[in-house]
Amino acid sequence: MLTDIEIASQVTPKPITEIAADLGIQPDELELYGPYKAKISLSIRDRLKDRPNGKYVVVTAITPTPLGEGKTTVTVGLGQAFGKIGTRAIVAIRQPSLGPVFGIKGGAAGGGYSQIIPMEDFNLHLTGDFHAVTAAHNLCAAFLDNSIYHGNPLDIDQTAVLWRRVMDVNDRTLRDIVIGLGSGNGIPRQTGFDITAASEVMAVLALATDYRDLRERLGRLVVALNRKKEPVTAEDIGVAGAMAALLKDALKPNLLQTLEHTPAIVHAGPFGNIAHGNSSVLADLIGLKLADVVVTEAGFGADLGFEKFCDIKCRVSGLKPDAAVLVATIRALKAHSGRYKIVAGKPLDPGLVTENLDALREGIGNLEKQIENVRRFGVPVVVAINQFPTDTPAEIELVREVALKAGAFDAVPTRVHSEGGEGGADLARAVLRATEEPNSFRPLYELDMPLTDKIEIIARELYGAGSVTYQPAAARALRTFTSMGYDKLPVCMAKTHLSLSGDPNLRGRPEGFELTVREARLSAGAGFIYPIIGEMRTMPGLGSKPGGLNVDIDDDGTIRGLF
């Protein structure tokens, strides 16, 4: 079979002006970045404010294997499939981080015949939004250290500087560093780097609803504590306005298209495990005014990105999903039996690609739990069985039976990777029916609960934990945030995506385990508290054979090996 980039290269994109015109976007609401990508002016919101919203569909998944199970592919394919059944759809999706693109995961444009194009632009720089976030974040860091260097007028406690630096590369050597060494180079202190997708500025970009909201959120960023243990903000050090200026264009969503010319709004890129894992509020607000259906994606499993979609993103936007799609693969459910080990870059165990109903039954508890998790929010859910050629009719029927018994509205095999939109037409019809079902959407917890109660509700009800423990640093931080008045914020759990628990080695549906909160950080500008579970890292590392080793260009500038 052709590689993703070979498939994408065979399709000539339509001029983005045609995609925009078909949606009803006016020429003065479009800012072109070449012939095939553009930004949408925020002025469109005023013009469309009285237009009714389309249906709002969010795509989530079971707990994935290290290979990923095609959630983005299904998201893109479902958007294309709606077009096949005569329903105008927009795909709203995150922009990928360069770290995983050149690391082990590869790109995030979808796959096979369900991709966003131009896939090279999508996976690399696009319109520069990630670079703007990196620049704005590090400008704040530079201004903070400069304030300390020039007499420290804000009386900042140098042992309580909270603002690290970021870059959009996987680089474990930068997790913990010392800066300011040498004469005239500032005041030495220990700090480190996170990846740009984990930056609070990225979260702000994804959650801001207009320029005023962006500017106010940046001003609220807590970057340090003073010696009285009071918060010092980006507004206090005078940098919030300059940060907003760097993000002025980045706040505008990007318009692209799929292989079948379905419109795609690509905007922001917070990770689903170490951040809130959803594309921007603005992308959805604009898309819902332009289309019959918006298909958006929440990062990783329903215990992560979908929970954050409901408890964080929907609180900000005021929107509620009409239906959810839960992506599952038979090979992943077999892997959740614990019988097999999947290592990216190595051949799959033969047991994963031959019929084995016993292994499937042993691992299918993960599907049952993730269906329960979605239903816990009052949203009807359709299971999309992302079908591989090795899946057998008996295995597919077993997944269908279990899914329906667990409370799914429907469970539908889909072949969007190999067939594009046509392979997802049955799924699209099922999702449309689900959007007409009764919907009692509600967040998981109330905001006036103590922070520990919010953490423990998520841990017990969504993860299946028996208890939650707090390491001393986490307990102190939560007490400090409460004393500062930040206890009414939602929480954004940073946890491994490879297990419902905090241990990536616990497969299937673990229950009664102990969940350990190692650290807690404040994201006052984004508007959430950020508990870090176990050994979760906010700066990934590279594997022994990073994907970037395969990437090159031809003499004519054509990119090869991207994936």
Side-chain angles (χ1 to χ4, degrees):
M1 183 168 176
L2 298 175
T3 66
D4 289 348
I5 196 167
E6 288 170 340
I7 291 171
S9 68
Q10 293 180 349
V11 175
T12 301
K14 285 186 178 181
I16 202 64
T17 51
E18 290 186 21
I19 300 293
D22 288 345
L23 282 174
I25 299 174
Q26 297 180 354
D28 63 352
E29 295 166 340
L30 206 64
E31 299 177 12
L32 298 178
Y33 282 68
Y36 304 126
K37 55 188 176 181
K39 281 190 169 290
I40 303 172
S41 171
L42 302 191
S43 65
I44 196 173
R45 293 194 61 202
D46 289 332
R47 182 172 67 83
L48 301 179
K49 65 180 183 298
D50 296 326
R51 184 178 294 184
N53 285 346
K55 298 292 188 180
Y56 195 27
V57 175
V58 56
V59 179
T60 183
I62 62 169
T63 301
T65 70
L67 300 179
E69 300 311 315
K71 179 157 54 65
T72 304
T73 301
V74 171
T75 300
V76 175
L78 178 57
Q80 295 181 152
F82 277 121
K84 296 293 185 182
I85 65 170
T87 301
R88 181 192 294 268
I90 289 176
V91 174
I93 205 166
R94 290 172 293 163
Q95 180 181 342
S97 165
L98 291 180
V101 166
F102 290 108
I104 200 166
K105 183 175 180 293
Y113 291 89
S114 294
Q115 296 186 59
I116 306 288
I117 53 174
M119 74 92 79
E120 303 97 314
D121 293 3
F122 177 90
N123 280 305
L124 298 179
H125 301 288
L126 197 55
T127 58
D129 294 351
F130 265 64
H131 302 308
V133 169
T134 302
H137 184 113
N138 291 337
L139 183 71
C140 182
F143 271 59
L144 172 60
D145 283 315
N146 191 57
S147 180
I148 295 171
Y149 179 75
H150 287 291
N152 197 8
L154 299 174
D155 198 30
I156 291 169
D157 180 353
Q158 294 176 45
T159 67
V161 173
L162 307 176
W163 198 254
R164 293 155 60 90
R165 285 166 168 80
V166 299
M167 66 184 303
D168 195 26
V169 173
N170 291 6
D171 192 346
R172 64 175 57 82
T173 62
L174 296 178
R175 289 171 181 164
D176 292 292
I177 62 173
V178 176
I179 61 172
L181 297 178
S183 176
N185 294 331
I187 298 172
R189 64 178 181 85
Q190 188 171 358
T191 183
F193 276 76
D194 297 327
I195 196 165
T196 297
S199 166
E200 186 179 353
V201 177
M202 180 65 80
V204 166
L205 182 73
L207 293 170
T209 55
D210 54 32
Y211 286 118
R212 175 178 291 181
D213 189 29
L214 173 71
R215 176 63 180 79
E216 290 176 353
R217 287 176 179 272
L218 293 172
R220 293 198 299 266
L221 297 171
V222 175
V223 298
L225 303 179
N226 64 21
R227 289 192 176 92
K228 295 180 181 178
K229 301 303 178 185
E230 298 166 333
V232 177
T233 67
E235 197 70 63
D236 293 331
I237 62 174
V239 73
M243 295 172 71
L246 286 173
L247 295 168
K248 178 180 74 71
D249 290 331
L251 190 63
K252 303 168 188 173
N254 305 294
L255 182 65
L256 283 85
Q257 62 191 285
T258 73
L259 289 172
E260 298 179 8
H261 313 302
T262 301
I265 301 181
V266 179
H267 199 210
F271 279 172
N273 51 357
I274 56 178
H276 77 281
N278 285 266
S279 60
S280 76
V281 166
L282 278 171
D284 294 354
L285 289 172
I286 292 171
L288 286 166
K289 297 296 184 183
L290 294 169
D292 300 323
V293 179
V294 166
V295 183
T296 192
E297 178 188 6
F300 293 119
D303 55 311
L304 284 167
F306 179 77
E307 182 271 317
K308 297 168 185 180
F309 171 87
C310 296
D311 284 325
I312 297 174
K313 185 178 181 182
C314 287
R315 290 187 199 268
V316 171
S317 69
L319 300 170
K320 71 173 186 177
D322 293 291
V325 175
L326 184 72
V327 179
T329 64
I330 286 168
R331 71 178 188 184
L333 293 174
K334 289 178 183 176
H336 277 294
S337 70
R339 296 186 180 196
Y340 312 103
K341 185 176 182 181
I342 294 179
V343 179
K346 294 188 177 180
L348 290 175
D349 189 300
L352 291 169
V353 293
T354 55
E355 184 174 294
N356 191 328
L357 296 177
D358 289 338
L360 184 55
R361 289 188 186 97
E362 291 171 14
I364 210 164
N366 188 271
L367 173 65
E368 294 174 300
K369 177 57 177 166
Q370 297 289 30
I371 291 171
E372 291 172 15
N373 284 345
V374 176
R375 296 295 297 140
R376 175 66 181 79
F377 290 89
V379 180
V381 55
V382 176
V383 172
I385 306 170
N386 188 18
Q387 193 170 347
F388 284 75
T390 54
D391 298 341
T392 69
E395 290 173 327
I396 292 170
E397 185 55 31
L398 176 58
V399 173
R400 274 186 47 80
E401 289 176 4
V402 171
L404 294 174
K405 187 176 180 180
F409 173 78
D410 204 347
V412 184
T414 180
R415 297 171 297 280
V416 295
H417 185 275
S418 58
E419 300 177 17
E422 195 64 48
D426 289 342
L427 176 64
R429 294 185 187 98
V431 172
L432 272 187
R433 293 194 300 271
T435 64
E436 301 300 331
E437 286 291 291
N439 187 317
S440 56
F441 174 72
R442 58 195 176 277
L444 189 64
Y445 52 79
E446 299 298 328
L447 291 179
D448 58 2
M449 290 180 173
L451 291 172
T452 52
D453 286 2
K454 297 170 190 173
I455 292 169
E456 288 163 24
I457 285 173
I458 295 172
R460 294 177 191 276
E461 296 195 17
L462 292 194
Y463 304 164
S467 61
V468 179
T469 60
Y470 302 87
Q471 292 189 355
R476 284 195 303 271
L478 292 172
R479 289 194 298 269
T480 298
F481 302 153
T482 298
S483 69
M484 291 177 176
Y486 293 114
D487 54 313
K488 301 299 185 287
L489 296 177
V491 295
C492 180
M493 303 284 272
K495 179 185 78 70
T496 179
H497 58 287
L498 296 174
S499 173
L500 283 161
S501 73
D503 179 354
N505 297 310
L506 286 180
R507 305 297 189 196
R509 183 178 183 167
E511 294 180 305
F513 53 86
E514 181 179 82
L515 194 78
T516 301
V517 182
R518 173 173 59 88
E519 187 181 346
R521 298 180 186 177
L522 170 64
S523 293
F528 51 71
I529 303 296
Y530 179 12
I532 300 177
I533 308 303
E535 296 303 313
M536 199 66 221
R537 299 289 188 181
T538 53
M539 169 56 86
L542 292 171
S544 59
K545 294 182 178 179
L549 295 174
N550 302 317
V551 179
D552 209 332
I553 61 171
D554 289 346
D555 292 345
D556 63 359
T558 301
I559 295 172
R560 303 293 183 190
L562 189 55
F563 94 42

